[in-house]
């Protein structure tokens, strides 16, 4: 409470400066990371952060909040030029004493919020910051995002990492003015950031990636260390599917109403019940690595990690889904990482996972054969893939069902053809089961629960939301009962 009073009554910049002067007395890595185990964490965390950056060989890098130079020297090894900036004079001087031998680095003591900070527009290829925005007020973050977008060249990148929700370090603090925000705050600010050039062209920031820092998940079972990567693009160049998902089908209110139907943590058919049934088929062992493609808001991932002691990486193209998943992870202390990622563009090393799991997601993917070939490569020998997905009957769909498929942007196949695609990708012992009867029973159960809960559902959401869910579930039941819409379960192994 004392810290809040100081922040309200005093000047934000002065409060933050006083805080960091106090914690910069020793100018050690432990002081900068506010953690007694900083040296051990740094060995894993620093290479991980650097691996997430776009190629920057020969590029101009602006490092904001550079501190004593934990990243400055690493960046200087490949960059064309680095401008390392920090508002604590002793920290930037220590940085210069450590990294001053790099002739391509310029060191500057300055406050990123100062109007006097003069960075030419469209002069920077990469803006890098590691723990900076959480020491700015909401308005300061908004204004800095706008300035960063102007400083950046078209095609250039912004990378930043922040502590969200709560602190991670174990350093004792008399007061703590840090803003531990929800990830959605940063995503919203940068997504809504627009800039124009002298010719009137409009540019925005396109989200390239958003994920947990794995070193903190592994060492602290902590998902609150989040990083973002953005690219400055022409306003009409942004990703069509991602926009569709986050602005329509999977907007925040839509996700919450799906969760109301499927159960806490779930946005796929049958919620925890089908999850338990399907996961049992995987024979998970402690220490195994699982990739969940289309992880939604994380319920299945938490279930696997908590009950089978496996490490789970959950990826989803929907920014909103991953934001909710990160929020749901707080306090669970399990080994689950989340990342906003397009599974058709994502790359992993061969033999990375013991299991690849996906629930009612791949219907969005047009080139399934290519994705299944990637799955085969990513799996270890003996690894399994388990997929549930919407399907259709063999042959031409009715005009009504065809319109539904088109409107949703789905790519549906019959169960047998789906299984054949897995075989063609190299998988063995492929099981392709038509689970439509089970699907219909689950739909009926979910529909009955929503109708029984009508008044509360409308109170918590709206009459329109209630009608959409009830109408949608009834339509799925009709399509399934006529044989048009099917639901398939697919299990395969990499020999």
């Amino acid at each position: 409470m004392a810290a809040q009073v100081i922040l309200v009554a005093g000047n934000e910049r002065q409060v933050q400066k006083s805080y960091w002067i106090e914690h910069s007395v020793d100018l050690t890595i432990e002081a900068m990371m506010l953690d007694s185990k900083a040296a051990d964490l740094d060995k894993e965390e620093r290479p991980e952060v650097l691996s997430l950056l776009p190629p920057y060989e020969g590029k101009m890098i602006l490092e904001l909040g550079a501190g004593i130079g934990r990243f400055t020297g690493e960046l200087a090894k490949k960059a064309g030029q680095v401008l390392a900036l920090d508002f604590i004079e002793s920290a930037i001087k220590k940085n210069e004493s450590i990294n001053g031998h790099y002739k391509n680095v310029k060191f500057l003591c300055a406050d990123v919020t100062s109007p006097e900070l003069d960075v030419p527009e469209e002069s920077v290829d990469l803006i890098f910051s590691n723990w900076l925005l959480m020491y700015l007020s909401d308005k300061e973050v908004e204004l800095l995002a706008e300035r960063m977008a102007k400083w950046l060249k078209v095609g250039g990148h912004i990378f930043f990492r922040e502590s969200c929700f709560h602190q991670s370090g174990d350093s004792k603090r008399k007061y703590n003015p840090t803003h531990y925000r929800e990830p959605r705050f940063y995503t919203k600010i940068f997504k809504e950031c627009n800039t124009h050039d002298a010719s009137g062209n409009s540019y925005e920031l396109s989200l390239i990636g958003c994920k947990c820092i794995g070193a903190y998940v592994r060492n602290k079972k902590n998902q609150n260390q989040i990083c973002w990567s953005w690219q400055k693009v022409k306003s009409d160049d942004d990703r069509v599917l991602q926009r569709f998902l986050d602005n329509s089908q999977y907007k925040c209110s839509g996700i919450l109403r799906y969760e109301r139907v499927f159960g806490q943590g779930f946005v796929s058919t049958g919620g925890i019940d089908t999850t338990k049934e399907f996961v049992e088929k995987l024979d998970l062992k402690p220490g195994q690595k699982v990739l969940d493609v289309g992880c939604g808001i994380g319920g299945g991932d938490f279930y696997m990690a908590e009950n089978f002691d496996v490490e789970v990486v959950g990826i989803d193209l929907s920014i909103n889904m991953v934001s909710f998943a990160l929020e749901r992870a707080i306090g669970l202390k399990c080994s689950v990482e989340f990342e906003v990622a397009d599974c058709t563009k994502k790359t992993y090393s061969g033999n990375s996972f013991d299991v690849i799991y996906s629930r009612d997601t791949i219907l969005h993917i047009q080139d399934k054969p290519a994705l299944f070939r990637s799955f085969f490569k990513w799996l270890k020998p003996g690894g399994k893939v388990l997929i549930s997905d919407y399907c259709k009957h063999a042959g031409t769909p009715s005009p009504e069902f065809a319109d539904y498929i088109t409107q949703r942007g789905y790519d549906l196949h019959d169960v047998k053809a789906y299984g054949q695609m897995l075989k063609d990708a190299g998988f063995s012992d492929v099981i392709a089961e038509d689970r439509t009867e089970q699907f219909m029973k689950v739909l009926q159960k979910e529909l009955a629960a929503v109708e029984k809960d009508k008044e509360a559902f409308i109170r918590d959401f709206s009459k329109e939301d209630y009608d959409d869910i009830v109408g949608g579930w009834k339509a799925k039941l009709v399509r399934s009962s006529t044989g048009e819409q099917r639901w398939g379960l697919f299990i395969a192994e990499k020999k």
Side-chain angles (χ1 to χ4, degrees):
M1 180 59 73
Q4 291 175 341
V5 172
I6 292 170
L7 278 172
V8 171
N11 178 276
E12 173 89 25
R13 301 317 310 136
Q14 191 53 52
V15 169
Q16 298 290 356
K17 192 163 188 175
S18 299
Y19 176 73
W20 273 108
I21 288 173
E22 177 186 337
H23 289 282
S24 300
V25 173
D26 294 333
L27 294 174
T28 62
I29 191 170
E30 287 76 17
M32 294 298 100
M33 294 180 70
L34 296 168
D35 199 301
S36 62
K37 295 190 169 57
D40 290 334
L41 271 171
D42 178 62
K43 289 174 187 174
E44 280 189 59
E45 179 246 29
R46 187 169 13 167
E48 180 181 353
V49 169
L50 291 165
S51 76
L52 298 171
L53 300 182
Y56 57 88
E57 288 79 358
K59 304 287 188 180
M60 170 61 193
I61 298 178
L62 173 60
E63 184 186 10
L64 303 177
I68 62 174
R70 197 160 65 95
F71 287 96
T72 307
E74 300 285 356
L75 296 172
K77 290 174 185 176
K78 296 181 183 177
Q81 288 181 290
V82 178
L83 174 57
L85 178 152
D86 200 280
F87 75 151
I88 300 297
E89 187 174 8
S90 59
I92 201 70
K93 282 186 174 178
K94 176 73 177 283
N95 191 339
E96 187 168 9
S97 72
I98 295 170
N99 296 304
H101 62 285
Y102 291 107
K103 301 308 177 189
N104 58 340
V105 182
K106 180 181 176 183
F107 302 88
L108 179 64
C109 183
D111 191 319
V112 295
T113 66
S114 171
E116 297 172 9
L117 177 60
D118 184 23
V119 178
E121 291 189 11
E122 297 190 13
S123 65
V124 180
D125 295 291
L126 171 63
I127 300 174
F128 174 89
S129 74
N130 187 69
W131 291 319
L132 168 70
L133 303 181
M134 60 199 206
Y135 301 116
L136 308 182
S137 70
D138 291 0
K139 189 62 180 176
E140 286 169 343
V141 173
E142 188 178 337
L143 293 173
L144 180 59
E146 291 173 3
R147 297 179 80 191
M148 290 163 80
K150 289 178 180 175
W151 297 338
L152 206 61
K153 295 177 183 177
V154 179
H157 293 79
I158 296 170
F159 178 94
F160 62 88
R161 174 270 194 91
E162 302 298 329
S163 297
C164 296
F165 304 114
H166 57 82
Q167 76 177 54
S168 293
D170 58 8
S171 292
K172 287 186 169 54
R173 310 169 207 195
K174 294 176 190 172
Y175 69 97
N176 189 352
T178 311
H179 301 283
Y180 298 110
R181 302 179 172 99
E182 294 184 352
R184 276 185 285 167
F185 170 84
Y186 296 112
T187 301
K188 183 175 187 293
I189 291 292
F190 282 80
K191 267 182 79 176
E192 294 178 355
C193 191
N194 287 281
T195 185
H196 298 81
D197 64 16
S199 303
N201 295 309
S202 177
Y203 299 95
E204 62 190 77
L205 298 172
S206 175
L207 184 65
I208 302 302
C210 172
K211 73 182 297 291
C212 305
I213 298 297
Y216 276 75
V217 176
R218 291 187 294 274
N219 290 282
K220 289 177 174 276
K221 298 293 189 286
N222 184 346
Q223 290 84 4
N224 82 320
Q225 295 298 315
I226 318 289
C227 64
W228 287 257
S229 182
W230 302 84
Q231 186 174 32
K232 183 174 177 178
V233 299
K234 271 197 167 182
S235 290
D236 56 359
D237 287 347
D238 206 5
R239 302 167 179 197
V240 176
L241 177 56
Q242 188 171 68
R243 245 186 197 167
F244 166 74
L245 294 176
D246 283 322
N247 295 337
S248 56
Q249 188 173 4
Y250 300 137
K251 59 186 179 182
C252 291
S253 60
I255 292 170
L256 292 174
R257 73 183 193 183
Y258 279 140
E259 184 183 30
R260 179 68 159 261
V261 177
F262 295 123
Q264 186 173 356
F266 293 92
V267 288
S268 60
T269 300
I272 186 63
D273 294 336
T274 52
T275 297
K276 286 181 176 179
E277 177 194 350
F278 294 166
V279 167
E280 189 177 343
K281 298 176 183 297
L282 295 171
D283 193 27
L284 294 174
K285 300 287 192 299
Q288 287 187 324
K289 289 198 70 174
V290 178
L291 175 66
D292 183 359
V293 176
C295 62
I297 57 178
D301 301 334
F302 302 136
Y303 173 76
M304 287 186 278
E306 289 179 323
N307 290 279
F308 299 93
D309 195 22
V310 293
E311 298 177 21
V312 187
V313 176
I315 64 173
D316 203 294
L317 185 60
S318 166
I319 300 165
N320 295 336
M321 289 285 196
V322 171
S323 294
F324 278 118
L326 290 167
E327 291 170 26
R328 301 293 196 273
I330 297 306
L332 294 183
K333 297 293 182 185
C334 57
S335 189
V336 180
E337 292 179 45
F338 293 107
E339 178 177 0
V340 176
D342 183 340
C343 63
T344 66
K345 296 184 174 72
K346 187 69 184 172
T347 58
Y348 293 103
S349 301
N351 307 328
S352 291
F353 299 99
D354 298 283
V355 167
I356 296 178
Y357 178 86
S358 183
R359 297 293 310 282
D360 305 347
T361 294
I362 295 173
L363 50 91
H364 292 291
I365 307 302
Q366 301 298 316
D367 192 351
K368 291 177 177 56
L371 181 64
F372 294 159
R373 288 193 294 272
S374 293
F375 284 2
F376 189 83
K377 176 187 172 187
W378 299 341
L379 273 175
K380 298 175 183 177
K384 288 183 178 179
V385 60
L386 184 147
I387 299 166
S388 72
D389 215 357
Y390 285 15
C391 296
K392 67 181 184 68
H393 68 64
T396 305
S398 68
E400 294 78 16
F401 192 39
D403 286 345
Y404 167 79
I405 293 170
T406 302
Q407 184 264 328
R408 290 295 183 118
Y410 292 164
D411 175 70
L412 304 186
H413 300 264
D414 65 80
V415 172
K416 184 178 178 182
Y418 207 114
Q420 187 60 49
M421 284 188 282
L422 286 165
K423 289 177 184 175
D424 293 343
F427 287 99
S428 305
D429 299 332
V430 176
I431 297 170
E433 295 181 356
D434 189 319
R435 291 292 189 105
T436 308
E437 188 175 329
Q438 178 183 10
F439 182 63
M440 292 177 66
K441 287 179 181 176
V442 171
L443 287 172
Q444 289 163 346
K445 181 181 177 182
E446 291 167 347
L447 179 60
V450 172
E451 289 180 324
K452 184 179 180 182
D453 190 41
K454 180 177 179 178
E455 287 186 16
F457 195 101
I458 291 172
R459 183 181 65 244
D460 294 340
F461 297 96
S462 70
K463 178 67 163 55
E464 182 184 3
D465 286 314
Y466 175 82
D467 291 341
D468 280 350
I469 290 292
V470 170
W473 260 240
K474 287 181 176 178
K476 280 190 272 194
L477 279 166
V478 169
R479 290 193 299 267
S480 300
S481 63
T482 61
E484 284 260 75
Q485 183 167 337
R486 317 300 294 169
W487 194 49
L489 176 65
F490 308 93
I491 306 171
E493 188 172 341
K494 177 179 178 178
K495 291 292 189 185

